[in-house]
Amino acid sequence: MKRVLIVGAGKGGNALIQILSETNRMKIVGVIDTKSNAKGIELAKKLGIHTDTEWKKWINDELDIIIEATGKESVLQEIVKARSRKTVVIPGSVAYIIAELIEEKESLLELLKLEMTNQELILNNIRDGMIVVNEKGIVQFINKSAERIVGVSKPKFINRPVQEVIENSRLPYTLQSRRKEINQKLVLENDKKIITTRIPIINADDQLIGAFAVFKDITEVVNLAEENTDLKEIKIMLEAIIESSDEAITVVDENGEGLMINPAYTKITGLSKSDIIGQPATVDISEGESMHMKVLQTRRPVRGVRMKVGSSKKDVIVNVAPVIVDGKIKGSVGVLHDVSEIKSLTTELKRARQIIRNLEAKYTFDDIVGSSPEMRLALEQAKVGAKTPATVLLRGESGTGKELFAHAIHNESDRKHNKFIRVNCAAIDEAVLEVELFGCEESAFSETKRGGKIGLFEEANMGSVFLDEISELTLPLQAKLLRVLQEKEIVRVGGSEPIGINVRVITATNANLEKAIMNKTFREDLYYRLNRLPIFIPSLKERIEDLTELIPHLIRKINQDYGRSVREINQEALRFLRTYHWAGNVRELENVLGRAMIYMDTNEEVIKLRHIPSLTPEKAVYIQDNERFDINQGTLQDAVESFEETYIKQTYQANHYNKTKTAKALDISIRNLYYKMDKYRIEKANIEDFS
C-alpha cells in the first residue's frame, strides 16, 4: 500500500481525499494546509486522517507519494528539494484536473438520475400497466398501474419469474418465439379482463435481452357490453368485419352447420352462401376431413392442414379455432389460405434467398455445432486456414456441412467485407459454367451485352469463390482454374488479354480425387494446388456424440421455418437416433426431425419415439481376416508400410469409420491418424473397394 501526503486542502486537495480514501491501494497519512478551516481539512478529520499546517516535518523516507495541491509553484519547488529520493511528487495541476472531472461526473450523474426519475414518473402515471422481464423471464420493472390491475405489490413482482406472479402470462412464450403478440385478451387470477400487447426486446446485434407487456384493464367495459349491448348489433358488427376481411372465413355452429361465409371464401372455393349456410361442414370439402367437425369434437384448434375445397378442388391450407362461451362450445371459425398464392410468394422468396446466398456468406463458425474431437480438429484447421490466403480443400461425405465451413472461413478471413460467391460445378453445363466463371468478350456470343459479360471470378475480386463439387469440372476447365491459382489472372471466353484478379478459392468435394487422378479425370497438378490445406469434415456417424448438441440446434431452426414451438426430444427417441447409421449425415438428420415435427400435434412440445419416421437399420460391416502378404513385394520398409495401410483400413472399418475410436484402438493420436490416412489415401470409398 502506497503512503500518500496531500499538501493543500482546497478544492483540488478535497477531490483527491475523496478519491484516494475509497481505494485500498493508497493510504493518506496526512493532509496539510495553512488554513485550519479548509474544506479538505474538515473532510480529513471526518475520515480520521491526520492534519497539520506545516508540511516540512512530514518529509521522511516512509512517504511514497506527495501530492502538491496548493497550486503554488514555489511550494512545489520546495517539496521537490526536500523530498526523499524514493518519494514521487505530483504537481497541483493534476489535482485541479481531477476536481473538474469529479464535478463533471457528479453533474452527469445528477442529470442521469433526473432522466430516470422523469421516465419512471411518466411510466407510473400512465393508465396502462407495464411489465418488463429479462431474457430469463425475471421481472425487472412494473409500474403502479400494473400493481393496481394485477393486485400484487411491486416487492412481490421484482426479481421473480413472471409466471410465479401471473400464472398464465405468455411473456415466456414471447421470449421463446421472439414474436410480438398484439391486442391479446387475457383473464387474470383476480378475474380482471385485460387486453395486452407483448413485444420481445432485441438489441442491434439481434440478441434477445428481454420482453415487455403493456396491458389495459377492460373488465368494466366488457361487463357493461355484456349487460347492455344488443346482441343483434354485435352480430351485425361481426358480420361487417368478416365481410370486409381479405381472409377467407367460414363459421359453423355447435352442430357443424354453416352459419356464415365471406366474399373472400366465395372467391377461393366458388361456393355461395346458399351452398354453405345451413348445410353440414363437410359440404365444401373435395379431399380431406372436416376440420370444423374435428375442432367441435376435440375443442382444440388446428393449424396448417392441407385439403382441397369446392368443385374446382382448390388446394388450401386451413386454420380452425373453437368458439367457447362460459365453458361450452358454440361453434368454430375457419380461415382458408390459397396454396397457389403461397407457392408464388414462396418461389419469390426462394429466388431472393438464392440471390443473397450467392453473393454473401451468411454462416460463421458459431453456426457450426459439435464438440467431438473430430469436429474440433476440423474447426481448428478451418480457423487456421481462414487467417491465411491458402486455397482450402474441404473433404467429406454429402451432408456433412462443407458449405457451412466455406461460409465460415470467408467470414473469419480479412475478405469478409467483400463478396462470397458459391458455384456448384455439378449443377451447370460445361459451356455455361465456363462463361459464368470466366466471363466472355462482346464478340464471343451474339446475345452478349455490349462490353461483354463479367465472370464470377472478376465479380468476386478481393473476395472469395466457393467451388462445390470440384471433382465435376472438366479437364479444360481444370486447366483454366489452375491458371487462376498459379498466375492470379483469367482470360475471358473469346478474349486473349489476361485480367488480373485477387480471389480466395475455397473448394469442396465428396469424391475420391486420388482415384480420379489415377483414372485421368482429374489433373494431378491441380490436385496439389488445391490440396495445400485439406480439411476432412467428419461424417455424422463418426461424431455420433454430437447429436445432443445438433438436435436442439436443428429443432430451433425447424421451429422458425415451420412456425412451431417444439422444445426438445426425449431420451428414448434420442437413444434410437444414436443407433442409426446416418448415411445422409446432418442433412438426413434435419430431414428426419422435420418429418417428425410435421406430424406432431400443434400442442405437443416434445419429440417422442413414435414421432420418428421409420429408418433403415445400419448395414453390417465385415472385416477381412487372415490377410497374407507376398514376400516378394519389395523391401522391408515397403512391406511394413503395406501392412500398416491394411491394418489401419481394417481397424477403421471395424470401428464403423469413427476416427476417434480408430485412433484409440491403434493407440496413436488423432492427428497422427489423419496424417497416416492422408499418406495412404484412406477414405471410406477406398475401404469399400478394398473389402
Side-chain angles (χ1 to χ4, degrees):
M1 183 179 291
K2 301 294 184 182
R3 295 170 58 82
V4 181
L5 178 67
I6 298 176
V7 179
K11 180 179 177 182
N14 187 63
L16 288 167
I17 295 168
Q18 290 180 34
I19 295 171
L20 298 182
S21 63
E22 294 176 359
T23 179
N24 294 325
R25 302 185 65 181
M26 293 189 181
K27 180 182 178 182
I28 304 174
V29 298
V31 177
I32 314 299
D33 200 288
T34 55
K35 297 178 182 178
S36 58
N37 62 345
K39 193 173 181 181
I41 294 292
E42 293 177 356
L43 177 59
K45 288 177 179 178
K46 287 180 183 178
L47 297 173
I49 300 170
H50 293 293
T51 62
D52 207 333
T53 57
E54 176 59 47
W55 59 266
K56 292 182 180 179
K57 60 185 179 182
W58 287 81
I59 302 296
N60 56 57
D61 290 339
E62 295 181 358
L63 287 176
D64 296 301
I65 300 171
I66 300 175
I67 302 177
E68 190 285 307
T70 65
K72 296 179 181 178
E73 183 64 28
S74 59
V75 175
L76 176 62
Q77 294 302 326
E78 287 183 42
I79 292 173
V80 171
K81 290 178 182 178
R83 70 178 173 102
S84 168
R85 289 183 62 188
K86 73 169 189 174
T87 304
V88 176
V89 179
I90 298 175
S93 57
V94 175
Y96 284 106
I97 292 171
I98 293 171
E100 292 294 330
L101 289 174
I102 286 179
E103 282 190 2
E104 185 177 351
K105 171 191 168 187
E106 290 177 349
S107 174
L108 290 172
L109 284 174
E110 287 298 323
L111 185 60
L112 181 60
K113 287 178 183 177
L114 180 61
E115 291 270 350
M116 292 178 67
T117 301
N118 288 340
Q119 289 180 8
E120 190 167 351
L121 189 62
I122 292 169
L123 293 175
N124 277 325
N125 281 279
I126 62 174
R127 291 188 58 81
D128 290 350
M130 177 178 281
I131 298 176
V132 182
V133 299
N134 63 14
E135 75 280 5
K136 296 179 180 178
I138 307 299
V139 177
Q140 302 295 301
F141 171 81
I142 67 162
N143 67 353
K144 292 189 180 298
S145 293
E147 290 183 81
R148 172 178 52 79
I149 295 171
V150 180
V152 177
S153 62
K154 186 173 183 178
K156 293 182 180 179
F157 255 112
I158 298 299
N159 295 325
R160 291 183 61 190
V162 66
Q163 284 186 311
E164 287 187 9
V165 187
I166 304 175
E167 187 175 349
N168 56 349
S169 170
R170 283 179 59 82
L171 276 174
Y173 177 80
T174 303
L175 291 170
Q176 182 183 1
S177 66
R178 296 166 66 106
R179 294 178 181 174
K180 64 174 68 173
E181 296 183 332
I182 299 174
N183 295 337
Q184 300 294 305
K185 188 176 179 181
L186 182 68
V187 179
L188 301 175
E189 292 177 32
N190 59 4
D191 292 328
K192 288 282 183 73
K193 300 177 182 69
I194 62 171
I195 290 292
T196 178
T197 293
R198 309 175 190 95
I199 299 176
I201 304 171
I202 299 171
N203 65 16
D205 297 324
D206 198 35
Q207 294 176 327
L208 181 72
I209 59 175
F212 69 95
V214 180
F215 48 95
K216 186 186 297 291
D217 185 359
I218 60 166
T219 308
E220 293 181 7
V221 175
V222 171
N223 291 340
L224 286 171
E226 290 176 349
E227 292 173 7
N228 302 322
T229 305
D230 184 32
L231 293 177
K232 185 177 180 181
E233 291 181 4
I234 294 177
K235 185 173 183 291
I236 292 171
M237 187 182 299
L238 289 174
E239 285 179 347
I241 293 170
I242 292 173
E243 288 287 320
S244 62
S245 174
D246 289 333
E247 301 283 357
I249 299 172
T250 170
V251 183
V252 302
D253 63 17
E254 65 270 28
N255 299 315
E257 293 185 357
L259 282 179
M260 191 184 305
I261 62 170
N262 66 348
Y265 179 89
T266 300
K267 182 179 178 181
I268 287 181
T269 65
L271 299 171
S272 64
K273 290 184 179 181
S274 60
D275 298 321
I276 299 297
I277 295 175
Q279 300 298 317
T282 55
V283 73
D284 59 345
I285 299 173
S286 301
E287 292 181 17
E289 63 173 312
S290 170
M291 290 300 104
H292 277 303
M293 299 307 298
K294 184 175 181 179
V295 168
L296 292 174
Q297 291 166 5
T298 63
R299 298 167 63 97
R300 295 186 178 210
V302 295
R303 294 181 61 83
V305 178
R306 290 283 291 270
M307 61 173 54
K308 293 186 178 181
V309 296
S311 58
S312 60
K313 296 185 178 182
K314 195 76 168 183
D315 198 4
V316 296
I317 291 177
V318 179
N319 299 328
V320 182
V323 178
I324 299 174
V325 181
D326 295 331
K328 295 181 181 180
I329 191 155
K330 294 295 184 181
S332 60
V333 179
V335 179
L336 283 66
H337 300 281
D338 188 347
V339 172
S340 60
E341 184 178 351
I342 295 173
K343 284 182 177 177
S344 175
L345 292 173
T346 303
T347 301
E348 290 298 318
L349 179 60
K350 284 182 178 178
R351 286 180 59 196
R353 283 179 174 172
Q354 188 62 41
I355 292 170
I356 293 169
R357 285 175 181 170
N358 285 341
L359 294 180
E360 62 181 32
K362 62 176 182 176
Y363 301 112
T364 67
F365 284 116
D366 292 335
D367 296 308
I368 301 175
V369 178
S371 56
S372 61
E374 292 86 357
M375 184 55 82
R376 284 204 306 270
L377 176 63
L379 285 169
E380 287 173 11
Q381 292 174 329
K383 288 176 181 178
V384 169
K387 299 300 182 185
T388 70
T391 302
V392 175
L393 175 60
L394 300 169
R395 307 192 70 167
E397 297 177 8
S398 179
T400 52
K402 296 187 289 294
E403 184 168 339
L404 265 69
F405 270 79
H407 284 245
I409 289 170
H410 173 80
N411 274 330
E412 191 78 7
S413 71
D414 55 6
R415 299 173 181 266
K416 62 184 177 182
H417 298 300
N418 298 306
K419 285 187 178 180
F420 174 83
I421 294 179
R422 61 175 298 275
V423 181
N424 189 322
C425 301
I428 307 175
D429 180 77
E430 178 188 358
V432 177
L433 181 59
E434 183 177 11
V435 173
E436 287 295 315
L437 288 176
F438 302 101
C440 64
E441 292 295 345
E442 182 178 344
S443 59
F445 299 100
S446 58
E447 66 270 17
T448 303
K449 295 180 181 178
R450 182 176 296 276
K453 174 181 172 62
I454 294 178
L456 294 179
F457 277 118
E458 286 183 77
E459 189 176 344
N461 196 34
M462 304 306 294
S464 303
V465 170
F466 171 48
L467 301 176
D468 199 4
E469 305 290 354
I470 189 67
S471 62
E472 299 301 315
L473 281 183
T474 61
L475 290 171
L477 282 181
Q478 290 177 33
K480 296 196 75 169
L481 176 59
L482 184 62
R483 178 171 185 170
V484 172
L485 298 175
Q486 288 180 336
E487 309 298 335
K488 299 189 183 304
E489 63 183 26
I490 59 105
V491 176
R492 289 183 181 180
V493 176
S496 57
E497 290 296 322
I499 301 171
I501 56 169
N502 182 353
V503 172
R504 167 73 172 275
V505 176
I506 305 170
T507 60
T509 184
N510 59 3
N512 186 336
L513 293 182
E514 293 77 15
K515 182 178 286 187
I517 293 172
M518 294 173 63
N519 294 336
K520 307 296 183 183
T521 59
F522 201 85
R523 294 177 63 109
E524 189 172 5
D525 50 1
L526 177 60
Y527 168 80
Y528 288 116
R529 274 284 176 180
L530 298 178
N531 203 44
R532 287 188 174 177
L533 185 55
I535 298 173
F536 293 88
I537 303 173
S539 61
L540 186 53
K541 58 181 172 287
E542 292 177 299
R543 57 185 189 108
I544 205 73
E545 63 267 36
D546 284 343
L547 281 180
T548 53
E549 297 176 67
L550 275 168
I551 289 174
H553 173 77
L554 292 174
I555 287 174
R556 288 192 294 271
K557 179 178 181 292
I558 298 168
N559 273 337
Q560 292 179 351
D561 291 342
Y562 293 174
R564 302 298 296 270
S565 55
V566 176
R567 291 186 294 105
E568 59 185 354
I569 186 170
N570 71 8
Q571 288 300 313
E572 184 184 16
L574 179 59
R575 282 194 296 271
F576 174 72
L577 294 181
R578 282 177 175 273
T579 64
Y580 184 56
H581 188 59
W582 298 117
N585 294 296
V586 179
R587 188 179 294 121
E588 183 182 8
L589 174 62
E590 183 175 357
N591 180 272
V592 168
L593 292 174
R595 280 187 286 160
M597 290 169 64
I598 286 171
Y599 292 111
M600 290 172 66
D601 289 339
T602 53
N603 60 327
E604 289 184 294
E605 296 182 339
V606 178
I607 299 175
K608 299 178 181 177
L609 184 58
R610 61 185 172 85
H611 298 131
I612 304 295
S614 60
L615 300 173
T616 306
E618 181 179 358
K619 294 180 180 178
V621 179
Y622 297 96
I623 307 169
Q624 288 184 340
D625 294 322
N626 303 321
E627 180 72 23
R628 302 183 65 86
F629 295 91
D630 180 5
I631 61 173
N632 297 315
Q633 62 182 331
T635 65
L636 175 62
Q637 182 63 32
D638 293 336
V640 168
E641 289 183 353
S642 178
F643 177 80
E644 183 177 56
E645 178 184 356
T646 302
Y647 193 74
I648 291 173
K649 284 181 178 179
Q650 290 183 346
T651 307
Y652 186 36
Q653 188 180 34
N655 284 280
H656 304 290
Y657 307 106
N658 185 306
K659 294 185 177 68
T660 300
K661 291 180 180 178
T662 303
K664 287 180 180 178
L666 295 171
D667 195 22
I668 60 176
S669 69
I670 188 73
R671 290 182 182 275
N672 196 9
L673 176 64
Y674 271 107
Y675 164 75
K676 290 179 182 297
M677 291 180 73
D678 190 41
K679 174 183 177 182
Y680 298 122
R681 299 178 180 176
I682 296 175
E683 294 180 3
K684 182 184 174 186
N686 301 117
I687 297 174
E688 289 173 346
D689 294 342
F690 166 83
S691 299

